[in-house]
């Protein structure tokens, strides 16, 4: 099911046939550098099931980004329910295939998720939770319009909380 379209990508719900697609990211130690580790097939299926449960429970989750021109898998981006120091927040999350980094794809997908969250879902605030050393991800958050709000410890790691309120969001079409 297609959720969103951007200039270069389609974002759709993931399903169990995406194991091989997602393993393109999850088997790459560089892409998983700021995560607990790489994921094998079984862990990838659990990740997909977690997202299927999130779609069912919250109507949101990480979605599969496919390039429109080649129909190739590019990555995943979407909206995820997170606990931030006891407060429920909605996070924009993004992970892309390493060979596609640096082309603005994460920014394009994250901006579309931002607009979808504010304009279609009526959310008033979005965050991104980013390891303090993950500079590329911090930069994507900034290009989405977010600013660094605070640093917390989450997942036993130092994490930047980037945030954006709807009324402060860059003007949209
Ligand atoms: C973070 C990630 C999604 C970015 O994807 P991408 O498609 O390359 O992102 P974009 O091209 O839209 O933008 C990347 C920006 O970061 C900048 N950047 C990249 N590496 C950087 C670094 N080491 N230090 C500072 N900036 C960096 C780029 O120059 C670009 O900014 P610019 O447009 O101002 O030049 C990608 O690196 C990724 O999938 N990483 C692994 C998963 C991950 O860490 N996800 C985030 C979890 S919070």
């Amino acid at each position: 099911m297609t959720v969103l379209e951007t200039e270069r990508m389609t974002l759709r719900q993931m399903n169990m046939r995406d194991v091989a697609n997602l393993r393109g990211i999850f088997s790459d130690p560089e892409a998983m550098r700021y995560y607990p580790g790489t994921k094998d097939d079984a862990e990838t299926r659990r990740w997909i099931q977690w997202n299927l449960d999130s779609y069912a429970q919250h109507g949101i989750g990480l979605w599969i980004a496919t390039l429109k021109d080649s129909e190739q898998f590019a990555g995943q981006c979407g909206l995820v329910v997170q606990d931030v120091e006891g407060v429920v927040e909605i996070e924009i999350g993004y992970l892309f295939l390493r060979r596609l980094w640096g082309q603005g794809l994460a920014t394009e997908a994250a901006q579309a998720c931002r607009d979808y969250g504010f304009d279609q879902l009526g959310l008033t605030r979005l965050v991104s939770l980013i390891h303090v050393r993950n500079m590329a991800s911090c930069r994507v958050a900034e290009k989405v319009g977010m600013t660094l709000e605070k640093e917390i410890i989450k997942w036993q790691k130092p994490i930047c909380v980037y945030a954006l309120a709807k009324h402060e969001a860059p003007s949209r079409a």
Side-chain angles (χ1 to χ4, degrees), residues 8 25 30-35 74 76 91-98 100-109 128-131 133-140 142-143 155:
R8 291 178 288 175
I25 300 171
E30 180 61 22
M32 299 308 283
R33 187 167 166 189
Y34 299 107
Y35 290 82
Q76 46 185 332
E91 177 187 31
I92 305 179
Y94 34 78
L95 302 91
F96 280 77
L97 286 174
R98 180 142 54 112
L100 299 175
W101 291 359
Q103 300 178 29
L105 291 173
T107 301
E108 185 176 315
S128 281
L129 307 179
I130 304 172
H131 191 287
R133 288 198 300 276
N134 192 346
M135 300 316 294
S137 183
C138 292
R139 184 74 194 115
V140 172
E142 288 168 1
K143 290 193 288 180
W155 305 301

mmCIF file of all heavy atoms in Angstrom, residues 8 25 30-35 74 76 91-98 100-109 128-131 133-140 142-143 155, ligand 1:
data_model
loop_
_atom_site.group_PDB
_atom_site.id
_atom_site.type_symbol
_atom_site.label_atom_id
_atom_site.label_comp_id
_atom_site.label_asym_id
_atom_site.label_seq_id
_atom_site.Cartn_x
_atom_site.Cartn_y
_atom_site.Cartn_z
ATOM 1 N N ARG A 8 11.219 11.820 -6.200
ATOM 2 C CA ARG A 8 11.978 10.679 -6.728
ATOM 3 C C ARG A 8 11.581 9.328 -6.167
ATOM 4 O O ARG A 8 12.073 8.303 -6.641
ATOM 5 C CB ARG A 8 13.477 10.906 -6.450
ATOM 6 C CG ARG A 8 14.090 12.021 -7.251
ATOM 7 C CD ARG A 8 15.551 12.214 -6.882
ATOM 8 N NE ARG A 8 15.716 12.808 -5.560
ATOM 9 C CZ ARG A 8 16.879 12.999 -4.949
ATOM 10 N NH1 ARG A 8 17.997 12.613 -5.548
ATOM 11 N NH2 ARG A 8 16.938 13.561 -3.760
ATOM 12 N N ILE A 25 20.576 -3.015 3.885
ATOM 13 C CA ILE A 25 21.001 -2.047 4.915
ATOM 14 C C ILE A 25 21.470 -2.782 6.169
ATOM 15 O O ILE A 25 22.547 -2.501 6.699
ATOM 16 C CB ILE A 25 19.836 -1.102 5.291
ATOM 17 C CG1 ILE A 25 19.356 -0.304 4.074
ATOM 18 C CG2 ILE A 25 20.263 -0.163 6.416
ATOM 19 C CD1 ILE A 25 18.080 0.489 4.322
ATOM 20 N N GLU A 30 28.587 -0.486 8.331
ATOM 21 C CA GLU A 30 28.716 0.978 8.293
ATOM 22 C C GLU A 30 27.335 1.639 8.453
ATOM 23 O O GLU A 30 27.181 2.609 9.202
ATOM 24 C CB GLU A 30 29.377 1.400 6.967
ATOM 25 C CG GLU A 30 29.575 2.889 6.783
ATOM 26 C CD GLU A 30 30.474 3.535 7.846
ATOM 27 O OE1 GLU A 30 31.271 2.816 8.481
ATOM 28 O OE2 GLU A 30 30.348 4.759 8.039
ATOM 29 N N ALA A 31 26.335 1.105 7.766
ATOM 30 C CA ALA A 31 24.974 1.662 7.900
ATOM 31 C C ALA A 31 24.428 1.430 9.312
ATOM 32 O O ALA A 31 23.638 2.231 9.813
ATOM 33 C CB ALA A 31 24.046 1.034 6.867
ATOM 34 N N MET A 32 24.861 0.352 9.945
ATOM 35 C CA MET A 32 24.332 -0.007 11.269
ATOM 36 C C MET A 32 25.246 0.456 12.407
ATOM 37 O O MET A 32 25.088 0.036 13.556
ATOM 38 C CB MET A 32 24.140 -1.531 11.347
ATOM 39 C CG MET A 32 23.152 -2.066 10.322
ATOM 40 S SD MET A 32 21.565 -1.200 10.358
ATOM 41 C CE MET A 32 20.847 -1.947 11.819
ATOM 42 N N ARG A 33 26.188 1.320 12.065
ATOM 43 C CA ARG A 33 27.210 1.751 13.028
ATOM 44 C C ARG A 33 26.621 2.291 14.328
ATOM 45 O O ARG A 33 27.170 2.073 15.402
ATOM 46 C CB ARG A 33 28.028 2.835 12.329
ATOM 47 C CG ARG A 33 29.209 3.313 13.049
ATOM 48 C CD ARG A 33 30.029 4.120 12.047
ATOM 49 N NE ARG A 33 31.028 4.903 12.717
ATOM 50 C CZ ARG A 33 31.768 5.818 12.109
ATOM 51 N NH1 ARG A 33 31.603 6.049 10.806
ATOM 52 N NH2 ARG A 33 32.668 6.486 12.766
ATOM 53 N N TYR A 34 25.516 3.021 14.240
ATOM 54 C CA TYR A 34 24.947 3.641 15.442
ATOM 55 C C TYR A 34 23.775 2.843 16.007
ATOM 56 O O TYR A 34 23.031 3.334 16.845
ATOM 57 C CB TYR A 34 24.545 5.091 15.133
ATOM 58 C CG TYR A 34 25.746 5.909 14.723
ATOM 59 C CD1 TYR A 34 25.939 6.294 13.397
ATOM 60 C CD2 TYR A 34 26.723 6.253 15.663
ATOM 61 C CE1 TYR A 34 27.058 7.019 13.016
ATOM 62 C CE2 TYR A 34 27.838 6.974 15.294
ATOM 63 C CZ TYR A 34 28.003 7.351 13.976
ATOM 64 O OH TYR A 34 29.116 8.065 13.612
ATOM 65 N N TYR A 35 23.625 1.623 15.525
ATOM 66 C CA TYR A 35 22.607 0.701 16.043
ATOM 67 C C TYR A 35 23.332 -0.392 16.825
ATOM 68 O O TYR A 35 24.555 -0.527 16.717
ATOM 69 C CB TYR A 35 21.786 0.114 14.888
ATOM 70 C CG TYR A 35 20.878 1.140 14.232
ATOM 71 C CD1 TYR A 35 21.370 2.018 13.268
ATOM 72 C CD2 TYR A 35 19.540 1.249 14.604
ATOM 73 C CE1 TYR A 35 20.551 2.980 12.688
ATOM 74 C CE2 TYR A 35 18.714 2.196 14.028
ATOM 75 C CZ TYR A 35 19.228 3.056 13.077
ATOM 76 O OH TYR A 35 18.424 4.007 12.515
ATOM 77 N N ALA A 74 15.354 1.648 -2.067
ATOM 78 C CA ALA A 74 16.362 2.649 -1.691
ATOM 79 C C ALA A 74 16.604 2.695 -0.182
ATOM 80 O O ALA A 74 17.720 2.939 0.263
ATOM 81 C CB ALA A 74 15.919 4.030 -2.181
ATOM 82 N N GLN A 76 14.430 3.009 3.985
ATOM 83 C CA GLN A 76 13.193 3.069 4.757
ATOM 84 C C GLN A 76 13.137 4.401 5.485
ATOM 85 O O GLN A 76 14.150 4.921 5.960
ATOM 86 C CB GLN A 76 13.079 1.902 5.728
ATOM 87 C CG GLN A 76 14.325 1.623 6.505
ATOM 88 C CD GLN A 76 14.215 0.373 7.365
ATOM 89 O OE1 GLN A 76 13.150 -0.017 7.807
ATOM 90 N NE2 GLN A 76 15.357 -0.238 7.622
ATOM 91 N N GLU A 91 8.558 10.101 16.035
ATOM 92 C CA GLU A 91 9.879 10.320 15.435
ATOM 93 C C GLU A 91 9.841 10.137 13.924
ATOM 94 O O GLU A 91 9.178 9.221 13.419
ATOM 95 C CB GLU A 91 10.876 9.304 16.014
ATOM 96 C CG GLU A 91 12.256 9.435 15.383
ATOM 97 C CD GLU A 91 13.244 8.354 15.798
ATOM 98 O OE1 GLU A 91 12.822 7.214 16.076
ATOM 99 O OE2 GLU A 91 14.446 8.661 15.819
ATOM 100 N N ILE A 92 10.574 10.992 13.208
ATOM 101 C CA ILE A 92 10.871 10.712 11.802
ATOM 102 C C ILE A 92 12.153 9.885 11.796
ATOM 103 O O ILE A 92 13.187 10.330 12.288
ATOM 104 C CB ILE A 92 11.094 11.995 10.975
ATOM 105 C CG1 ILE A 92 9.906 12.944 11.090
ATOM 106 C CG2 ILE A 92 11.339 11.626 9.508
ATOM 107 C CD1 ILE A 92 10.085 14.246 10.298
ATOM 108 N N GLY A 93 12.065 8.654 11.248
ATOM 109 C CA GLY A 93 13.234 7.777 11.172
ATOM 110 C C GLY A 93 13.623 7.541 9.723
ATOM 111 O O GLY A 93 12.762 7.595 8.828
ATOM 112 N N TYR A 94 14.919 7.304 9.482
ATOM 113 C CA TYR A 94 15.380 7.094 8.096
ATOM 114 C C TYR A 94 16.660 6.275 8.054
ATOM 115 O O TYR A 94 17.573 6.487 8.846
ATOM 116 C CB TYR A 94 15.607 8.444 7.374
ATOM 117 C CG TYR A 94 16.104 9.563 8.266
ATOM 118 C CD1 TYR A 94 17.426 9.644 8.658
ATOM 119 C CD2 TYR A 94 15.225 10.529 8.749
ATOM 120 C CE1 TYR A 94 17.875 10.659 9.481
ATOM 121 C CE2 TYR A 94 15.661 11.551 9.600
ATOM 122 C CZ TYR A 94 16.986 11.608 9.955
ATOM 123 O OH TYR A 94 17.437 12.599 10.795
ATOM 124 N N LEU A 95 16.677 5.296 7.167
ATOM 125 C CA LEU A 95 17.877 4.488 6.898
ATOM 126 C C LEU A 95 17.884 4.189 5.402
ATOM 127 O O LEU A 95 16.882 3.701 4.865
ATOM 128 C CB LEU A 95 17.849 3.148 7.629
ATOM 129 C CG LEU A 95 17.735 3.082 9.161
ATOM 130 C CD1 LEU A 95 16.288 3.013 9.587
ATOM 131 C CD2 LEU A 95 18.480 1.874 9.684
ATOM 132 N N PHE A 96 19.010 4.448 4.740
ATOM 133 C CA PHE A 96 19.089 4.227 3.289
ATOM 134 C C PHE A 96 20.296 3.371 2.934
ATOM 135 O O PHE A 96 21.264 3.269 3.695
ATOM 136 C CB PHE A 96 19.140 5.585 2.553
ATOM 137 C CG PHE A 96 17.770 6.206 2.436
ATOM 138 C CD1 PHE A 96 17.178 6.826 3.519
ATOM 139 C CD2 PHE A 96 17.044 6.109 1.262
ATOM 140 C CE1 PHE A 96 15.887 7.341 3.444
ATOM 141 C CE2 PHE A 96 15.757 6.628 1.170
ATOM 142 C CZ PHE A 96 15.182 7.242 2.264
ATOM 143 N N LEU A 97 20.236 2.735 1.766
ATOM 144 C CA LEU A 97 21.363 1.938 1.256
ATOM 145 C C LEU A 97 22.588 2.826 1.105
ATOM 146 O O LEU A 97 22.497 3.930 0.552
ATOM 147 C CB LEU A 97 21.018 1.371 -0.130
ATOM 148 C CG LEU A 97 20.028 0.221 -0.210
ATOM 149 C CD1 LEU A 97 19.731 -0.072 -1.683
ATOM 150 C CD2 LEU A 97 20.563 -1.031 0.486
ATOM 151 N N ARG A 98 23.733 2.304 1.536
ATOM 152 C CA ARG A 98 24.948 3.136 1.535
ATOM 153 C C ARG A 98 25.304 3.662 0.143
ATOM 154 O O ARG A 98 25.762 4.784 -0.011
ATOM 155 C CB ARG A 98 26.116 2.356 2.123
ATOM 156 C CG ARG A 98 27.408 3.150 2.161
ATOM 157 C CD ARG A 98 28.213 2.881 3.404
ATOM 158 N NE ARG A 98 28.473 1.495 3.627
ATOM 159 C CZ ARG A 98 29.699 0.948 3.540
ATOM 160 N NH1 ARG A 98 30.733 1.675 3.170
ATOM 161 N NH2 ARG A 98 29.883 -0.323 3.821
ATOM 162 N N LEU A 100 23.563 4.793 -2.009
ATOM 163 C CA LEU A 100 22.700 5.905 -2.417
ATOM 164 C C LEU A 100 22.857 7.132 -1.513
ATOM 165 O O LEU A 100 22.156 8.131 -1.699
ATOM 166 C CB LEU A 100 21.238 5.449 -2.423
ATOM 167 C CG LEU A 100 20.897 4.314 -3.386
ATOM 168 C CD1 LEU A 100 19.448 3.870 -3.212
ATOM 169 C CD2 LEU A 100 21.151 4.741 -4.827
ATOM 170 N N TRP A 101 23.748 7.064 -0.529
ATOM 171 C CA TRP A 101 23.932 8.202 0.376
ATOM 172 C C TRP A 101 24.448 9.420 -0.401
ATOM 173 O O TRP A 101 25.147 9.275 -1.419
ATOM 174 C CB TRP A 101 24.933 7.866 1.484
ATOM 175 C CG TRP A 101 24.446 6.859 2.486
ATOM 176 C CD1 TRP A 101 23.226 6.240 2.521
ATOM 177 C CD2 TRP A 101 25.187 6.320 3.590
ATOM 178 N NE1 TRP A 101 23.161 5.355 3.579
ATOM 179 C CE2 TRP A 101 24.347 5.381 4.255
ATOM 180 C CE3 TRP A 101 26.470 6.534 4.096
ATOM 181 C CZ2 TRP A 101 24.761 4.668 5.391
ATOM 182 C CZ3 TRP A 101 26.881 5.820 5.221
ATOM 183 C CH2 TRP A 101 26.034 4.912 5.860
ATOM 184 N N GLY A 102 24.129 10.589 0.117
ATOM 185 C CA GLY A 102 24.674 11.828 -0.430
ATOM 186 C C GLY A 102 23.937 12.363 -1.636
ATOM 187 O O GLY A 102 24.412 13.285 -2.296
ATOM 188 N N GLN A 103 22.764 11.824 -1.920
ATOM 189 C CA GLN A 103 21.962 12.319 -3.047
ATOM 190 C C GLN A 103 20.706 13.049 -2.578
ATOM 191 O O GLN A 103 19.814 13.333 -3.375
ATOM 192 C CB GLN A 103 21.534 11.153 -3.947
ATOM 193 C CG GLN A 103 22.690 10.374 -4.537
ATOM 194 C CD GLN A 103 22.202 9.203 -5.376
ATOM 195 O OE1 GLN A 103 21.121 9.226 -5.958
ATOM 196 N NE2 GLN A 103 23.000 8.163 -5.454
ATOM 197 N N GLY A 104 20.619 13.291 -1.276
ATOM 198 C CA GLY A 104 19.451 14.006 -0.761
ATOM 199 C C GLY A 104 18.207 13.145 -0.596
ATOM 200 O O GLY A 104 17.116 13.670 -0.333
ATOM 201 N N LEU A 105 18.352 11.831 -0.716
ATOM 202 C CA LEU A 105 17.151 10.971 -0.641
ATOM 203 C C LEU A 105 16.554 10.949 0.769
ATOM 204 O O LEU A 105 15.329 11.028 0.932
ATOM 205 C CB LEU A 105 17.482 9.551 -1.104
ATOM 206 C CG LEU A 105 17.780 9.401 -2.598
ATOM 207 C CD1 LEU A 105 18.262 7.981 -2.899
ATOM 208 C CD2 LEU A 105 16.555 9.735 -3.454
ATOM 209 N N ALA A 106 17.418 10.829 1.794
ATOM 210 C CA ALA A 106 16.893 10.803 3.163
ATOM 211 C C ALA A 106 16.173 12.110 3.474
ATOM 212 O O ALA A 106 15.087 12.112 4.068
ATOM 213 C CB ALA A 106 18.024 10.557 4.163
ATOM 214 N N THR A 107 16.759 13.216 3.060
ATOM 215 C CA THR A 107 16.128 14.520 3.309
ATOM 216 C C THR A 107 14.776 14.602 2.598
ATOM 217 O O THR A 107 13.778 15.035 3.191
ATOM 218 C CB THR A 107 17.056 15.650 2.813
ATOM 219 O OG1 THR A 107 18.295 15.550 3.519
ATOM 220 C CG2 THR A 107 16.442 17.012 3.048
ATOM 221 N N GLU A 108 14.748 14.195 1.341
ATOM 222 C CA GLU A 108 13.496 14.257 0.559
ATOM 223 C C GLU A 108 12.397 13.399 1.208
ATOM 224 O O GLU A 108 11.245 13.838 1.339
ATOM 225 C CB GLU A 108 13.792 13.768 -0.864
ATOM 226 C CG GLU A 108 12.637 13.874 -1.822
ATOM 227 C CD GLU A 108 13.056 13.444 -3.242
ATOM 228 O OE1 GLU A 108 14.149 13.862 -3.706
ATOM 229 O OE2 GLU A 108 12.297 12.696 -3.881
ATOM 230 N N ALA A 109 12.762 12.194 1.621
ATOM 231 C CA ALA A 109 11.768 11.307 2.236
ATOM 232 C C ALA A 109 11.339 11.840 3.602
ATOM 233 O O ALA A 109 10.144 11.822 3.940
ATOM 234 C CB ALA A 109 12.350 9.896 2.373
ATOM 235 N N SER A 128 13.446 13.693 16.029
ATOM 236 C CA SER A 128 14.339 12.632 15.559
ATOM 237 C C SER A 128 15.342 12.363 16.667
ATOM 238 O O SER A 128 15.863 13.310 17.275
ATOM 239 C CB SER A 128 15.053 13.018 14.260
ATOM 240 O OG SER A 128 14.183 12.838 13.158
ATOM 241 N N LEU A 129 15.571 11.105 16.954
ATOM 242 C CA LEU A 129 16.468 10.678 18.034
ATOM 243 C C LEU A 129 17.734 10.143 17.388
ATOM 244 O O LEU A 129 17.692 9.130 16.678
ATOM 245 C CB LEU A 129 15.792 9.592 18.879
ATOM 246 C CG LEU A 129 14.397 9.956 19.415
ATOM 247 C CD1 LEU A 129 13.821 8.786 20.224
ATOM 248 C CD2 LEU A 129 14.452 11.209 20.286
ATOM 249 N N ILE A 130 18.856 10.831 17.618
ATOM 250 C CA ILE A 130 20.058 10.578 16.817
ATOM 251 C C ILE A 130 21.280 10.446 17.715
ATOM 252 O O ILE A 130 21.521 11.308 18.574
ATOM 253 C CB ILE A 130 20.277 11.751 15.819
ATOM 254 C CG1 ILE A 130 19.019 11.937 14.961
ATOM 255 C CG2 ILE A 130 21.511 11.504 14.963
ATOM 256 C CD1 ILE A 130 19.061 13.180 14.082
ATOM 257 N N HIS A 131 22.060 9.389 17.491
ATOM 258 C CA HIS A 131 23.315 9.235 18.229
ATOM 259 C C HIS A 131 24.157 10.506 18.048
ATOM 260 O O HIS A 131 24.262 11.031 16.931
ATOM 261 C CB HIS A 131 24.080 8.012 17.723
ATOM 262 C CG HIS A 131 25.234 7.641 18.591
ATOM 263 N ND1 HIS A 131 26.398 8.373 18.628
ATOM 264 C CD2 HIS A 131 25.384 6.632 19.487
ATOM 265 C CE1 HIS A 131 27.224 7.825 19.499
ATOM 266 N NE2 HIS A 131 26.631 6.768 20.030
ATOM 267 N N ARG A 133 27.095 11.183 17.629
ATOM 268 C CA ARG A 133 28.173 11.217 16.629
ATOM 269 C C ARG A 133 27.669 11.002 15.192
ATOM 270 O O ARG A 133 28.474 11.030 14.251
ATOM 271 C CB ARG A 133 29.241 10.169 16.964
ATOM 272 C CG ARG A 133 30.073 10.565 18.184
ATOM 273 C CD ARG A 133 31.373 9.784 18.257
ATOM 274 N NE ARG A 133 31.159 8.354 18.352
ATOM 275 C CZ ARG A 133 30.914 7.702 19.493
ATOM 276 N NH1 ARG A 133 30.864 8.366 20.628
ATOM 277 N NH2 ARG A 133 30.727 6.400 19.501
ATOM 278 N N ASN A 134 26.373 10.799 15.021
ATOM 279 C CA ASN A 134 25.832 10.513 13.686
ATOM 280 C C ASN A 134 25.552 11.836 12.957
ATOM 281 O O ASN A 134 24.410 12.298 12.848
ATOM 282 C CB ASN A 134 24.558 9.666 13.815
ATOM 283 C CG ASN A 134 24.111 9.096 12.481
ATOM 284 O OD1 ASN A 134 24.582 9.516 11.430
ATOM 285 N ND2 ASN A 134 23.187 8.155 12.533
ATOM 286 N N MET A 135 26.632 12.437 12.443
ATOM 287 C CA MET A 135 26.524 13.792 11.902
ATOM 288 C C MET A 135 25.652 13.863 10.649
ATOM 289 O O MET A 135 24.965 14.853 10.423
ATOM 290 C CB MET A 135 27.931 14.351 11.590
ATOM 291 C CG MET A 135 28.852 14.443 12.798
ATOM 292 S SD MET A 135 28.041 15.109 14.278
ATOM 293 C CE MET A 135 27.703 16.767 13.757
ATOM 294 N N ALA A 136 25.693 12.821 9.811
ATOM 295 C CA ALA A 136 24.860 12.839 8.595
ATOM 296 C C ALA A 136 23.384 12.870 8.980
ATOM 297 O O ALA A 136 22.591 13.618 8.394
ATOM 298 C CB ALA A 136 25.166 11.617 7.727
ATOM 299 N N SER A 137 23.031 12.094 9.987
ATOM 300 C CA SER A 137 21.634 12.070 10.424
ATOM 301 C C SER A 137 21.233 13.402 11.063
ATOM 302 O O SER A 137 20.123 13.903 10.833
ATOM 303 C CB SER A 137 21.424 10.914 11.399
ATOM 304 O OG SER A 137 20.081 10.843 11.767
ATOM 305 N N CYS A 138 22.141 13.984 11.848
ATOM 306 C CA CYS A 138 21.859 15.307 12.439
ATOM 307 C C CYS A 138 21.608 16.331 11.338
ATOM 308 O O CYS A 138 20.717 17.178 11.424
ATOM 309 C CB CYS A 138 23.021 15.773 13.315
ATOM 310 S SG CYS A 138 23.243 14.816 14.825
ATOM 311 N N ARG A 139 22.402 16.238 10.270
ATOM 312 C CA ARG A 139 22.256 17.183 9.153
ATOM 313 C C ARG A 139 20.901 17.005 8.464
ATOM 314 O O ARG A 139 20.251 17.989 8.086
ATOM 315 C CB ARG A 139 23.411 16.952 8.166
ATOM 316 C CG ARG A 139 23.457 17.892 7.029
ATOM 317 C CD ARG A 139 23.951 19.287 7.428
ATOM 318 N NE ARG A 139 23.649 20.204 6.333
ATOM 319 C CZ ARG A 139 22.803 21.223 6.424
ATOM 320 N NH1 ARG A 139 22.203 21.508 7.563
ATOM 321 N NH2 ARG A 139 22.571 21.993 5.382
ATOM 322 N N VAL A 140 20.480 15.755 8.302
ATOM 323 C CA VAL A 140 19.156 15.509 7.700
ATOM 324 C C VAL A 140 18.071 16.151 8.586
ATOM 325 O O VAL A 140 17.170 16.830 8.087
ATOM 326 C CB VAL A 140 18.895 13.996 7.520
ATOM 327 C CG1 VAL A 140 17.446 13.741 7.085
ATOM 328 C CG2 VAL A 140 19.859 13.417 6.485
ATOM 329 N N GLU A 142 18.334 18.678 10.512
ATOM 330 C CA GLU A 142 18.370 20.139 10.336
ATOM 331 C C GLU A 142 17.700 20.546 9.031
ATOM 332 O O GLU A 142 16.973 21.543 8.973
ATOM 333 C CB GLU A 142 19.824 20.629 10.351
ATOM 334 C CG GLU A 142 20.440 20.577 11.741
ATOM 335 C CD GLU A 142 21.954 20.773 11.745
ATOM 336 O OE1 GLU A 142 22.545 20.972 10.652
ATOM 337 O OE2 GLU A 142 22.531 20.698 12.828
ATOM 338 N N LYS A 143 17.940 19.748 7.984
ATOM 339 C CA LYS A 143 17.342 20.104 6.680
ATOM 340 C C LYS A 143 15.826 19.885 6.665
ATOM 341 O O LYS A 143 15.130 20.454 5.834
ATOM 342 C CB LYS A 143 18.030 19.317 5.560
ATOM 343 C CG LYS A 143 19.478 19.787 5.332
ATOM 344 C CD LYS A 143 20.069 19.265 4.046
ATOM 345 C CE LYS A 143 20.380 17.794 4.125
ATOM 346 N NZ LYS A 143 20.956 17.291 2.858
ATOM 347 N N TRP A 155 18.598 3.938 25.032
ATOM 348 C CA TRP A 155 19.244 2.732 24.492
ATOM 349 C C TRP A 155 20.691 2.641 25.021
ATOM 350 O O TRP A 155 21.604 2.200 24.323
ATOM 351 C CB TRP A 155 19.231 2.732 22.961
ATOM 352 C CG TRP A 155 17.847 2.883 22.359
ATOM 353 C CD1 TRP A 155 16.780 2.066 22.550
ATOM 354 C CD2 TRP A 155 17.397 3.921 21.458
ATOM 355 N NE1 TRP A 155 15.688 2.542 21.827
ATOM 356 C CE2 TRP A 155 16.037 3.658 21.156
ATOM 357 C CE3 TRP A 155 18.008 5.033 20.879
ATOM 358 C CZ2 TRP A 155 15.285 4.474 20.306
ATOM 359 C CZ3 TRP A 155 17.254 5.842 20.030
ATOM 360 C CH2 TRP A 155 15.917 5.557 19.757
HETATM 361 C C1 LIG B 1 21.713 9.270 7.789
HETATM 362 C C2 LIG B 1 21.361 8.832 6.362
HETATM 363 C C3 LIG B 1 19.908 8.369 6.339
HETATM 364 C C4 LIG B 1 21.522 10.031 5.430
HETATM 365 O O1 LIG B 1 21.080 9.631 4.126
HETATM 366 P P1 LIG B 1 21.424 10.488 2.813
HETATM 367 O O2 LIG B 1 20.427 10.103 1.766
HETATM 368 O O3 LIG B 1 22.872 10.385 2.499
HETATM 369 O O4 LIG B 1 21.097 11.964 3.344
HETATM 370 P P2 LIG B 1 21.039 13.311 2.482
HETATM 371 O O5 LIG B 1 21.824 13.135 1.225
HETATM 372 O O6 LIG B 1 19.610 13.731 2.388
HETATM 373 O O7 LIG B 1 21.766 14.358 3.452
HETATM 374 C C5 LIG B 1 22.952 14.009 4.137
HETATM 375 C C6 LIG B 1 23.588 15.289 4.677
HETATM 376 O O8 LIG B 1 24.560 14.911 5.662
HETATM 377 C C7 LIG B 1 25.815 15.447 5.282
HETATM 378 N N1 LIG B 1 26.827 14.531 5.791
HETATM 379 C C8 LIG B 1 27.095 13.279 5.367
HETATM 380 N N2 LIG B 1 28.097 12.761 6.111
HETATM 381 C C9 LIG B 1 28.428 13.698 7.034
HETATM 382 C C10 LIG B 1 29.374 13.769 8.086
HETATM 383 N N3 LIG B 1 30.180 12.736 8.348
HETATM 384 N N4 LIG B 1 29.448 14.912 8.818
HETATM 385 C C11 LIG B 1 28.635 15.945 8.571
HETATM 386 N N5 LIG B 1 27.700 15.950 7.569
HETATM 387 C C12 LIG B 1 27.615 14.835 6.832
HETATM 388 C C13 LIG B 1 25.751 15.545 3.786
HETATM 389 O O9 LIG B 1 26.727 16.448 3.285
HETATM 390 C C14 LIG B 1 24.323 16.065 3.613
HETATM 391 O O10 LIG B 1 24.207 17.429 3.967
HETATM 392 P P3 LIG B 1 24.220 18.615 2.853
HETATM 393 O O11 LIG B 1 23.061 18.344 1.931
HETATM 394 O O12 LIG B 1 24.059 19.852 3.665
HETATM 395 O O13 LIG B 1 25.539 18.512 2.137
HETATM 396 C C15 LIG B 1 22.279 7.698 5.866
HETATM 397 O O14 LIG B 1 23.605 8.058 6.096
HETATM 398 C C16 LIG B 1 21.979 6.358 6.527
HETATM 399 O O15 LIG B 1 21.105 5.617 6.095
HETATM 400 N N6 LIG B 1 22.767 6.044 7.582
HETATM 401 C C17 LIG B 1 22.601 4.743 8.274
HETATM 402 C C18 LIG B 1 21.327 4.691 9.106
HETATM 403 C C19 LIG B 1 21.237 5.831 10.097
HETATM 404 O O16 LIG B 1 22.194 6.143 10.791
HETATM 405 N N7 LIG B 1 20.043 6.438 10.152
HETATM 406 C C20 LIG B 1 19.766 7.518 11.070
HETATM 407 C C21 LIG B 1 19.469 6.982 12.406
HETATM 408 S S1 LIG B 1 19.093 8.321 13.556
#
